[in-house]
Amino acid sequence: MEKLDQKKIEELIDKAVEMMDYSYVPYSHFHVGAALLAGNGTVYGGCNIENAGYTPSNCAERTAFFKAVSEGVTEFEAICVVGGMNKELTDYAAPCGVCRQVMMEFCDPDTFRIILAAGRERYEVFTLKELLPMGFGPKSLGVR
Ligand code: THU
């Protein structure tokens, strides 16, 4: 269990900001970067990847989750998300509903932290439950 102190939060913000450089966004030009902190301490970066068919586009958060899960890592502590048009961090980039649902699959809604940042000095921390109240997850189906 990694402690989510100030230093760790800043590290996650830096990583998320770095990941915006890899966003493939020829259509929206809206860059999103994510840094997902796993229970084992590893940080998985993610960026959004768009597609000419639009529907196959993938959000930064899901890219990070799928990278981790595809390597056998399924326990998570926190995710930091940053985003903005042409990489300008003017506001928070909150996770879309689909990404919140993916978080619900792998994370404890009471303890998993979502850090929305618009810079190193401007961020807010939410639990998954706050951003997805009464979420439907594995427990709803008697799994875990
Ligand atoms: N996007 C994300 O990467 N994460 C979100 O949670 C919200 C939206 C991306 C998808 C698309 O590439 C761009 O932002 C504009 O919607």
Side-chain angles (χ1 to χ4, degrees), residues 5 7 10 19 27 47 52 63 104 108-109 113 116 122:
D5 55 15
K7 193 168 153 271
E10 285 180 10
M19 292 309 296
Y27 307 106
C47 63
T63 301
M104 188 71 200
D108 180 341
R113 273 10 193 213
L116 302 185
R122 195 177 151 210

Side-chain angles (χ1 to χ4, degrees), residues 28-103:
S28 74
H29 305 287
F30 193 88
H31 293 246
V32 183
L36 175 63
L37 175 64
N40 64 11
T42 307
V43 176
Y44 291 88
C47 63
N48 52 337
I49 304 166
E50 297 183 345
N51 188 280
Y54 286 30
T55 321
S57 300
N58 205 51
C59 291
E61 300 90 317
R62 277 177 288 143
T63 301
F65 268 92
F66 295 158
K67 277 171 69 177
V69 175
S70 68
E71 292 179 13
V73 174
T74 55
E75 280 175 26
F76 304 104
E77 305 285 330
I79 191 167
C80 175
V81 189
V82 299
M85 201 58 85
N86 302 312
K87 292 194 234 177
E88 275 174 47
L89 299 185
T90 50
D91 213 339
Y92 295 145
C96 78
V98 173
C99 287
R100 292 177 203 206
Q101 185 62 33
V102 167
M103 292 174 198

Side-chain angles (χ1 to χ4, degrees), residues 10-31:
E10 285 180 10
E11 190 187 311
L12 292 175
I13 293 172
D14 288 349
K15 177 74 180 177
V17 168
E18 201 182 297
M19 292 309 296
M20 284 197 300
D21 284 343
Y22 303 120
S23 291
Y24 176 76
V25 288
Y27 307 106
S28 74
H29 305 287
F30 193 88
H31 293 246

